[in-house]
Amino acid sequence: QSALTQPASVSGSPGQSITISCTGTSSDVGGYNYVSWYQQYPGKAPKLMIYDVSNRPSGVSARFSGSKSGNTASLTISGLQAEDEADYYCSSYTSGNTLVFGGGTKVTVL
Amino acid sequence: QVHLVESGGGVVQPERSLRLSCAASRFTFSICGMHWVRQAPGKGLEWVASMSSDGGSQYYADSVRGRFTVSRDNSKNTVDLQMNSLRAEDTAVYYCAKGRAAFWLTIDHWGQGTLVTVS
């Protein structure tokens, strides 16, 4: 049950686009289309932003999009805004009927 | 709006036990898988355990298997986490989370969490 690999931090200026990667294996990210992305502000509960690789829940801004290629999933935030500054976590279903999370990425808006 | 409220957290000595509870409302609890996820202070999210909607399937992280037990009562809309033989490394905020209806082994809503300190 090794954690998925995410960059520790990503930054961008307002209006720019940034992409956060999430690398796993063929037993998790690469093997299933059950990758989710969560946004978490300090001291708050996580919030679902993307599910099933690329689907947005109702109410989530269209500036957030997800994709996957092989064993790596990605979250792209377009038109970066100050309110996007938060921690982001990916997660995936695994072949062992478990869930695994990434280590988290801190997004900083410059 | 899905509502999940955890309770039972607190300070506990190593090797002792603690039981967390999660009260669910505003959704059809009996058809949803439920999960526990924890977050140690200043660290990332760690999946702990999952239980299917009927309670027939339970899955655990290697770090807690044999010490933690998840259970649910569909008549009361609650899911519990019994934690035994607690260790310092179990110190974390424990979140109760709801599985998606379409595929229960993914999470779509989270509670606010309850802090467990083992010391």
Side-chain angles (χ1 to χ4, degrees):
Chain A
Q1 296 175 349
S2 298
L4 305 175
T5 300
Q6 297 182 232
S9 62
V10 173
S11 62
S13 299
Q16 287 186 329
S17 293
I18 62 169
T19 297
I20 303 169
S21 62
C22 170
T23 301
T25 69
S26 58
S27 295
D28 39 63
V29 173
Y32 308 93
N33 289 324
Y34 292 125
V35 175
S36 301
W37 289 91
Y38 302 93
Q39 177 191 63
Q40 186 182 36
Y41 293 113
K44 300 297 185 181
K47 174 188 174 184
L48 178 66
M49 305 301 284
I50 296 288
Y51 67 94
D52 295 354
V53 176
S54 59
N55 294 288
R56 273 189 317 276
S58 175
V60 171
S61 171
R63 298 185 298 104
F64 291 84
S65 61
S67 63
K68 190 184 85 168
S69 177
N71 295 338
T72 298
S74 299
L75 174 71
T76 297
I77 308 175
S78 305
L80 198 62
Q81 299 180 0
E83 68 200 49
D84 300 331
E85 189 161 293
D87 294 326
Y88 292 82
Y89 294 90
C90 62
S91 79
S92 176
Y93 168 76
T94 84
S95 59
N97 283 326
T98 65
L99 293 176
V100 62
F101 286 91
T105 297
K106 181 178 181 60
V107 168
T108 301
V109 181
L110 302 172
Chain B
Q1 184 80 348
V2 170
H3 198 50
L4 300 166
V5 179
E6 303 92 339
S7 61
V11 180
V12 60
Q13 294 178 331
E15 294 304 315
R16 300 298 290 266
S17 298
L18 199 64
R19 189 177 185 91
L20 305 182
S21 187
C22 172
S25 59
R26 306 175 193 173
F27 67 98
T28 307
F29 180 78
S30 61
I31 67 170
C32 292
M34 296 297 294
H35 310 269
W36 289 95
V37 177
R38 68 185 180 184
Q39 187 170 34
K43 303 297 184 181
L45 301 172
E46 179 189 13
W47 171 76
V48 173
S50 298
M51 174 166 268
S52 60
S53 58
D54 64 358
S57 297
Q58 304 117 50
Y59 305 109
Y60 298 93
D62 290 343
S63 58
V64 307
R65 186 176 294 112
R67 299 188 299 124
F68 290 13
T69 303
V70 61
S71 61
R72 65 189 293 161
D73 185 335
N74 284 351
S75 68
K76 297 181 179 179
N77 287 5
T78 59
V79 58
D80 291 352
L81 184 68
Q82 176 67 41
M83 304 185 295
N84 299 331
S85 303
L86 283 161
R87 307 166 180 168
E89 53 264 37
D90 295 319
T91 293
V93 173
Y94 284 74
Y95 293 101
C96 168
K98 170 186 167 294
R100 286 182 52 235
F103 184 63
W104 73 275
L105 280 167
T106 58
I107 291 171
D108 61 3
H109 289 87
W110 302 67
Q112 287 304 303
T114 187
L115 176 63
V116 173
T117 302
V118 183
S119 176

